[in-house]
Amino acid sequence: EAGVTQFPSHSVIEKGQTVTLRCDPISGHDNLYWYRRVMGKEIKFLLHFVKESKQDESGMPNNRFLAERTGGTYSTLKVQPAELEDSGVYFCASSQDFYEQYFGPGTRLTVT
Amino acid sequence: AQTVTQSQPEMSVQEAETVTLSCTYDTSESDYYLFWYKQPPSRQMILVIRQEAYKQQNATENRFSVNFQKAAKSFSLKISDSQLGDAAMYFCAYRGTSGTYKYIFGTGTRLKVLA
């Protein structure tokens, strides 16, 4: 069984540019979560999808962040325009039930 | 709001020795789950061990065990017979039993295993 995959693994962009991160959850997992870790700090929740619906987006920093989940399959997280403080590692996780979340390897975003 | 604290940014252990990683949390909920996740360098996080708050018995998975003290809100991870492959970042996480079941993480502890 394939795990959660994320693309790209690393992205370096300039302030003001746009970046789109992608997450492919484990097949059949209805729940998809996005988290972010800023260097040296805790991993923080961003939002939660159940299938294609946003269940909780209370962790989204501001309206420069837009998350979508097409047809309840893969998800994208777009940052537009990117700011320096958006740098960090973005993790995606999926779960079939609410028991355990399976994490992807993360996308390291560097905004210069 | 719930919080998770890992007070040890970095720990070292000699191969074959035992090490304990600390985690404390704060919550007003009576039922919840606690997790330890391991993230090896450049690899994804994997679940090490899980503890349900309603269970008094401490969870154990092979060389990994927890010391769960509900009243003290403490959830430490003990790694016995440490191996080089245990070197990783370890995250403690809390999950409630209502709402979206999002995880609340600590800042992580980097474990180094010395040969």
Side-chain angles (χ1 to χ4, degrees):
Chain A
E1 176 183 272
V4 177
T5 57
Q6 292 186 246
F7 182 82
S9 57
H10 193 183
S11 179
V12 181
I13 61 172
E14 292 184 351
K15 177 182 172 181
Q17 289 185 324
T18 297
V19 64
T20 300
L21 313 181
R22 174 170 170 146
C23 168
D24 286 77
I26 293 172
S27 178
H29 283 194
D30 289 339
N31 296 284
L32 188 148
Y33 300 82
W34 282 98
Y35 295 87
R36 177 176 74 173
R37 184 177 190 226
V38 173
M39 181 172 300
K41 298 197 173 182
E42 71 271 27
I43 300 170
K44 283 193 172 180
F45 167 81
L46 296 178
L47 86 159
H48 169 214
F49 283 99
V50 177
K51 297 184 180 179
E52 66 276 7
S53 300
K54 292 176 186 175
Q55 200 72 10
D56 179 359
E57 50 185 330
S58 61
M60 294 288 264
N62 49 61
N63 59 10
R64 294 186 293 104
F65 289 74
L66 175 65
E68 295 179 325
R69 189 176 182 191
T70 305
T73 55
Y74 70 92
S75 175
T76 58
L77 180 65
K78 185 194 305 189
V79 185
Q80 179 183 28
E83 297 289 345
L84 296 178
E85 63 264 26
D86 300 333
S87 295
V89 181
Y90 290 77
F91 293 100
C92 175
S94 71
S95 68
Q96 185 173 23
D97 48 33
F98 293 110
Y99 204 40
E100 176 185 343
Q101 293 180 23
Y102 296 82
F103 284 81
T107 293
R108 181 175 296 279
L109 175 63
T110 303
V111 182
T112 63
Chain B
Q2 296 84 11
T3 59
V4 175
T5 301
Q6 293 180 250
S7 58
Q8 305 154 316
E10 190 170 294
M11 293 280 286
S12 295
V13 62
Q14 206 70 33
E15 200 175 2
E17 297 294 308
T18 295
V19 65
T20 298
L21 309 184
S22 301
C23 173
T24 58
Y25 59 94
D26 191 26
T27 183
S28 57
E29 298 179 315
S30 59
D31 196 18
Y32 46 86
Y33 290 82
L34 296 165
F35 305 84
W36 278 100
Y37 276 84
K38 165 186 176 182
Q39 186 183 23
S42 301
R43 294 178 60 185
Q44 58 210 89
M45 277 197 290
I46 56 173
L47 180 66
V48 174
I49 199 163
R50 169 181 52 233
Q51 175 79 43
E52 292 89 342
Y54 64 87
K55 290 187 177 179
Q56 293 186 343
Q57 186 172 7
N58 289 324
T60 298
E61 288 288 341
N62 301 314
R63 299 182 294 107
F64 298 87
S65 62
V66 298
N67 183 3
F68 173 49
Q69 301 288 330
K70 191 173 183 179
K73 296 179 181 174
S74 172
F75 182 60
S76 60
L77 174 69
K78 185 172 83 170
I79 306 174
S80 304
D81 186 25
S82 296
Q83 301 174 0
L84 295 178
D86 294 333
M89 197 75 178
Y90 286 81
F91 292 97
C92 177
Y94 169 100
R95 198 213 83 189
T97 53
S98 62
T100 64
Y101 304 116
K102 64 187 177 188
Y103 284 4
I104 299 182
F105 285 92
T107 51
T109 297
R110 181 171 301 281
L111 178 67
K112 294 183 177 180
V113 181
L114 308 173

